[in-house]
Amino acid sequence: MPDLRAQQVTLGYAGRPVIDDLSVVFPEGAITVIVGANACGKSTLLKSVARLLKPSSGEVLLDGKSVHQLPTRHLARRLGMLPQSPVTPEGLTVRDLVGRGRFPHQGLFATWRPEDERSVTEALTLTGILELQHRPMDELSGGQRQRAWIAMALAQQTEILLLDEPTTFLDIAHRLEVLDLLHRLNRERGTTIVMVLHDLNEASRYADHLIAMRNGGIEAVGPPRKVVTAELVRRVFAIDSLILSDPLTGSPMVVPRSAVGVNVPIGAEQEPESEPVSHSGEVRHG
C-alpha cells in the first residue's frame, strides 16, 4: 500500500500564500474526500500532491520520497490525476484520449501491447462509454467528456487516483454512476482515491476519510460520522443546518436551514415528522 502525505507544506500562487504549514496523511487503500467552501485551498492541496504545484516549503511524500524528486514516468505509474476542467486536444477520439493513459506503461518506442488494449477497453466499459469510443471528443456532451477523462485515468491503472471535482457537468444520475464506479474501484482493486467534491452529502456517503478545509487550513479530519456536525458545517460553509442520518447508508446527511446571518423562518427546532425521501438510488457502500 502506498504511503502518501503532505508534510508542513506552504503553497500559493504568484507569491500569495493559500496554504501555510499544512500536514496531512491520506490513508492507504481508502477513499479520502476533501471538502470546503470555495477558495479554501482544496484544489491547491490536490495539485501539490499531484506534483502540479511545488510547495515553497515542506514536502509531499510518497513512500517517504518527495514526489518532486521522483522520475516522471515512475510517478505516473503509481499516481494518476484528473484535473478540474481538463482541455481536450482538438480532433482526438474518445479511444485515443483513453489510450493516452497507457503512456507511462509503454517503452521508449511506445509499442502498443495486448495489455494496453485490454486496459483501455475495460476503462471504456467501466465508465459506460464503450459505444462512444470512436466519436470525436468535441462532439460529446459535458458529462460524456467527463466520463472519457475518468476512463483515461482508470486506464493508467495506478495505485493512487487523484480527482478534482470529478462529477462536474454531470446530472445526478451520472454523478452517482461515477461515484459508485470509484467506490467499486477502491473496494475491488484497493486503489487509494483522493478527490475534491463540492456536495457534502455525496462526500459523506462515499468517503472513508473526510478532510474539511477552511481558509487554507484543516478544520477537521476523520470518518464522516465523526467529522460532519452542525458546528463543523457552520464553521466551514457558514450554513446553519440539521444533521440527519442517511436512510440508505447511515452516513451524515446535511439539511441546510439558511446561510449564517440570514433570518429565514424555519419553524420548530426539530427533525421533520416524516422520514426524508432519498432520490439517490442504490449505493453499494461498505
Side-chain angles (χ1 to χ4, degrees):
M1 288 288 190
D3 181 353
L4 181 65
R5 62 185 66 213
Q7 188 170 286
Q8 296 180 305
V9 295
T10 297
L11 302 161
Y13 305 94
R16 180 179 63 86
V18 175
I19 290 173
D20 183 36
D21 196 31
L22 181 148
S23 296
V24 66
V25 175
F26 303 98
E28 63 271 17
I31 298 176
T32 295
V33 179
I34 308 172
V35 298
N38 289 342
C40 71
K42 305 184 300 294
S43 294
T44 299
L45 176 59
L46 201 68
K47 286 177 183 177
S48 179
V49 175
R51 206 170 76 171
L52 299 177
L53 181 64
K54 189 172 183 178
S56 57
S57 63
E59 295 179 299
V60 175
L61 303 174
L62 177 57
D63 292 339
K65 299 178 181 178
S66 171
V67 296
H68 290 277
Q69 295 176 1
L70 291 172
T72 299
R73 188 176 290 269
H74 173 79
L75 183 65
R77 288 172 181 163
R78 302 198 61 197
L79 186 152
M81 169 69 174
L82 177 63
Q84 190 180 124
S85 303
V87 178
T88 307
E90 188 176 353
L92 214 61
T93 68
V94 171
R95 193 174 188 91
D96 289 339
L97 177 72
V98 177
R100 293 190 173 201
R102 298 303 302 164
F103 286 177
H105 301 276
Q106 295 172 344
L108 184 62
F109 300 103
T111 303
W112 193 255
R113 303 160 301 172
E115 53 262 45
D116 297 319
E117 190 71 20
R118 285 194 298 270
S119 295
V120 168
T121 299
E122 180 183 22
L124 289 165
T125 302
L126 284 171
T127 51
I129 56 171
L130 184 62
E131 71 280 4
L132 302 175
Q133 62 180 312
H134 300 303
R135 292 269 302 275
M137 286 289 294
D138 53 14
E139 292 183 3
L140 303 185
S141 68
Q144 290 170 332
R145 283 196 298 271
Q146 189 74 346
R147 282 190 282 165
W149 280 102
I150 291 172
M152 188 194 75
L154 296 183
Q156 197 171 334
Q157 292 191 329
T158 57
E159 300 168 276
I160 303 167
L161 189 56
L162 311 177
L163 306 104
D164 194 355
E165 299 183 32
T167 55
T168 300
F169 306 123
L170 302 182
D171 59 32
I172 186 169
H174 288 130
R175 287 208 312 270
L176 292 176
E177 282 182 13
V178 167
L179 293 171
D180 280 345
L181 167 63
L182 295 172
H183 180 263
R184 198 162 64 246
L185 182 68
N186 167 262
R187 294 312 193 249
E188 294 177 1
R189 296 185 181 177
T191 305
T192 297
I193 294 174
V194 182
M195 59 180 162
V196 170
L197 291 178
H198 267 304
D199 190 302
L200 186 54
N201 286 329
E202 289 178 356
S204 297
R205 175 176 283 196
Y206 287 91
D208 301 305
H209 188 72
L210 203 63
I211 299 174
M213 294 188 65
R214 176 174 175 265
N215 295 335
I218 294 179
E219 195 74 13
V221 174
R225 292 182 189 182
K226 293 186 178 180
V227 168
V228 180
T229 64
E231 177 57 30
L232 185 280
V233 175
R234 169 181 272 269
R235 292 198 312 269
V236 171
F237 294 96
I239 291 175
D240 280 324
S241 63
L242 185 68
I243 309 300
L244 306 179
S245 178
D246 187 311
L248 292 181
T249 65
S251 60
M253 187 170 65
V254 179
V255 180
R257 299 177 187 272
S258 65
V260 173
V262 178
N263 190 11
V264 179
I266 57 173
E269 298 295 315
Q270 59 187 19
E271 295 187 8
E273 294 180 2
S274 59
E275 185 176 354
V277 178
S278 172
H279 300 279
S280 53
E282 182 181 359
V283 174
R284 296 169 293 281
H285 199 294

